Amino acid sequence: MAATQSHFLMNLSHGISSQRNLRADGRVPSSSWEITGTNRSWALPVSLKVDNFRSQRVSGIGDTDGIIIVDHGSRRRESNLMLEEFVKMFKDNTGYPIVEPAHMELAEPSIKSAFSLCVQQGAKRVVVSPFFLFPGRHWHQDIPALTADAAKEFSDISYLITAPLGLHNLLIDVVNDRIQHCLSHVEGDADECLVCAGTNKCKLYNSS
């Protein structure tokens, strides 16, 4: 079961890494709006300016950049551990030196704790990446407010809050992979994935 989940996440991370390499070569545009063919403002990254942010080079992650991948947070320990596993796989696959998990609420580490850890490891710029599908209230209000509060202790550190996952072509493969795996499981051809393991949720239901 662990191997199945790890393979799934590694394929996702590899796809993201591959697309980043293509962007570096100039073969793929750096923004995500071309996926829908319409330049919708919510499809583009949002940034919050701290002193002299615009004077800094935004593209490319360097040794003094810290990344925080933040999800909502859960009272379920298993759910929180999955973010930690994903962050480890993301860090291993990308080679980025400073990557920390954070939960918006309900669990530690918080955004404030993760921000501080990034700075302690030498980050001069922090990139907060919301592990959310779409730009709801958490992206518009809660995460920016929590990040701004975390940054108050570090006046010389700039930060960026990226767009959520949104309408990204790679998500088509992710959703399809999940559907195919769950169908294989209910047909007896695959084990439960780590998301469903022990929950007895991945099964066919009958309304009668």
Side-chain angles (χ1 to χ4, degrees), residues 3 11 19-20 39 43 61 63 68 79 85 91 109 122 137 143-144 152 158 162 164 171 175 187 195:
N11 282 342
Q19 189 178 69
R20 185 174 58 255
N39 191 355
I61 298 296
D63 291 341
I68 299 173
S79 298
E85 180 181 351
K91 183 177 182 179
R137 188 193 70 188
I143 293 175
K152 285 179 181 178
S158 60
T162 73
L171 286 175
V175 173
E187 292 169 0
V195 177

Coordinates of all heavy atoms in Angstrom, one line a residue, residues 3 11 19-20 39 43 61 63 68 79 85 91 109 122 137 143-144 152 158 162 164 171 175 187 195:
A3 N 3.8 1.6 -1.1 CA 4.5 1.7 -2.4 C 3.6 2.3 -3.4 O 4.0 3.1 -4.2 CB 5.0 0.3 -2.8
N11 N 5.1 10.3 -9.2 CA 4.8 10.6 -10.5 C 4.3 12.0 -10.6 O 4.7 12.8 -11.6 CB 3.7 9.7 -11.0 CG 4.2 8.3 -11.4 OD1 5.4 8.1 -11.6 ND2 3.3 7.3 -11.5
Q19 N 7.9 19.9 -15.9 CA 7.4 21.1 -16.5 C 8.2 22.3 -16.1 O 8.4 23.2 -16.9 CB 5.9 21.3 -16.0 CG 5.2 22.4 -16.8 CD 3.8 22.6 -16.4 OE1 3.6 23.1 -15.2 NE2 2.9 22.3 -17.2
R20 N 8.8 22.3 -14.9 CA 9.6 23.4 -14.5 C 10.9 23.4 -15.4 O 11.3 24.5 -15.8 CB 10.0 23.2 -13.1 CG 10.8 24.4 -12.5 CD 11.1 24.3 -11.0 NE 11.8 23.1 -10.7 CZ 11.2 22.0 -10.1 NH1 10.0 22.0 -9.8 NH2 11.9 20.9 -9.9
N39 N -7.1 34.7 -19.6 CA -6.3 35.2 -18.6 C -7.1 35.6 -17.4 O -7.4 36.8 -17.1 CB -5.5 36.4 -19.1 CG -4.4 36.8 -18.1 OD1 -4.3 36.3 -17.0 ND2 -3.6 37.8 -18.5
A43 N -6.3 32.8 -11.7 CA -5.4 31.7 -12.1 C -3.9 32.0 -12.0 O -3.1 31.2 -12.1 CB -5.6 31.3 -13.6
I61 N 14.2 29.1 -7.7 CA 14.4 28.8 -6.3 C 15.9 28.7 -6.0 O 16.5 27.8 -6.7 CB 13.7 27.6 -5.8 CG1 12.1 27.8 -6.0 CG2 14.0 27.3 -4.3 CD1 11.5 28.9 -5.2
D63 N 19.3 28.9 -3.0 CA 19.7 28.4 -1.7 C 19.2 29.2 -0.5 O 19.1 28.7 0.6 CB 21.2 28.3 -1.6 CG 21.8 27.2 -2.5 OD1 21.0 26.3 -2.9 OD2 23.0 27.3 -2.8
I68 N 7.2 26.9 2.0 CA 6.2 26.4 2.9 C 5.0 25.9 2.1 O 4.4 26.6 1.4 CB 5.7 27.5 3.9 CG1 6.9 28.0 4.7 CG2 4.7 26.9 4.8 CD1 6.5 29.2 5.6
S79 N -4.1 12.4 8.5 CA -4.2 13.4 7.4 C -3.0 14.4 7.5 O -2.4 14.7 6.4 CB -5.5 14.2 7.5 OG -6.6 13.4 7.3
E85 N 4.6 13.7 4.6 CA 5.1 12.7 3.6 C 5.3 13.4 2.2 O 6.3 13.2 1.5 CB 4.3 11.5 3.5 CG 4.8 10.5 2.5 CD 3.9 9.3 2.3 OE1 2.9 9.1 3.1 OE2 4.1 8.5 1.4
K91 N 10.6 17.7 -1.5 CA 12.0 18.2 -1.3 C 13.0 17.3 -1.9 O 13.9 17.7 -2.5 CB 12.2 18.3 0.2 CG 13.6 18.9 0.6 CD 13.7 19.0 2.1 CE 15.1 19.6 2.4 NZ 15.2 19.8 3.9
P109 N 2.9 21.8 12.5 CA 3.4 23.1 12.6 C 2.5 24.2 12.0 O 1.9 23.9 10.9 CB 4.7 23.1 11.9 CG 4.6 22.0 10.9 CD 3.7 21.0 11.6
G122 N 18.3 29.8 7.0 CA 19.0 30.7 6.1 C 18.2 31.3 5.0 O 18.7 32.0 4.1
R137 N -11.8 31.5 0.4 CA -11.5 32.5 1.5 C -10.2 32.2 2.1 O -9.5 33.2 2.5 CB -12.6 32.4 2.6 CG -12.5 33.5 3.6 CD -13.4 33.2 4.8 NE -12.8 32.0 5.6 CZ -13.5 31.4 6.6 NH1 -14.7 31.8 6.9 NH2 -12.9 30.4 7.3
I143 N -4.7 32.7 4.8 CA -3.3 32.4 4.6 C -2.5 33.7 4.5 O -1.5 33.9 5.1 CB -3.1 31.5 3.4 CG1 -3.7 30.1 3.7 CG2 -1.6 31.4 3.1 CD1 -3.6 29.1 2.6
P144 N -3.0 34.7 3.7 CA -2.3 36.0 3.7 C -2.1 36.7 5.1 O -1.1 37.2 5.5 CB -3.1 36.9 2.8 CG -3.7 35.9 1.8 CD -4.1 34.7 2.7
K152 N 6.1 39.4 10.6 CA 6.3 40.6 11.4 C 7.6 40.5 12.2 O 8.3 41.6 12.5 CB 5.2 40.8 12.4 CG 3.9 41.4 11.7 CD 2.8 41.5 12.8 CE 1.5 42.0 12.2 NZ 0.4 42.1 13.2
S158 N 11.5 38.8 2.7 CA 10.3 39.0 1.8 C 9.6 37.7 1.6 O 10.2 36.6 1.9 CB 10.8 39.6 0.5 OG 11.7 38.7 -0.1
T162 N 1.8 31.9 -3.4 CA 1.5 31.5 -4.8 C 0.0 31.2 -4.9 O -0.7 31.1 -4.0 CB 2.3 30.2 -5.2 OG1 1.8 29.1 -4.5 CG2 3.8 30.4 -4.8
P164 N -3.2 28.7 -5.6 CA -3.4 27.3 -5.3 C -3.3 26.5 -6.6 O -2.9 27.0 -7.6 CB -4.9 27.4 -4.8 CG -5.5 28.6 -5.5 CD -4.4 29.6 -5.6
L171 N -3.2 18.1 -13.0 CA -4.2 17.6 -12.1 C -5.2 16.6 -12.9 O -5.9 15.8 -12.2 CB -5.0 18.7 -11.5 CG -4.3 19.5 -10.5 CD1 -5.1 20.7 -10.0 CD2 -4.0 18.6 -9.3
V175 N -6.3 13.2 -10.9 CA -7.7 12.8 -10.7 C -8.0 11.5 -11.4 O -8.6 10.6 -10.8 CB -8.7 13.9 -11.2 CG1 -10.1 13.4 -11.1 CG2 -8.5 15.1 -10.3
E187 N -12.7 -3.6 -7.5 CA -12.8 -4.8 -8.3 C -11.9 -5.9 -7.9 O -11.8 -7.0 -8.5 CB -12.5 -4.4 -9.8 CG -13.6 -3.6 -10.4 CD -13.2 -3.0 -11.8 OE1 -12.1 -3.2 -12.2 OE2 -14.0 -2.2 -12.3
V195 N -4.7 6.8 1.5 CA -5.8 7.8 1.8 C -7.0 7.0 2.4 O -7.6 7.5 3.4 CB -6.2 8.6 0.5 CG1 -7.4 9.5 0.8 CG2 -5.1 9.3 -0.1

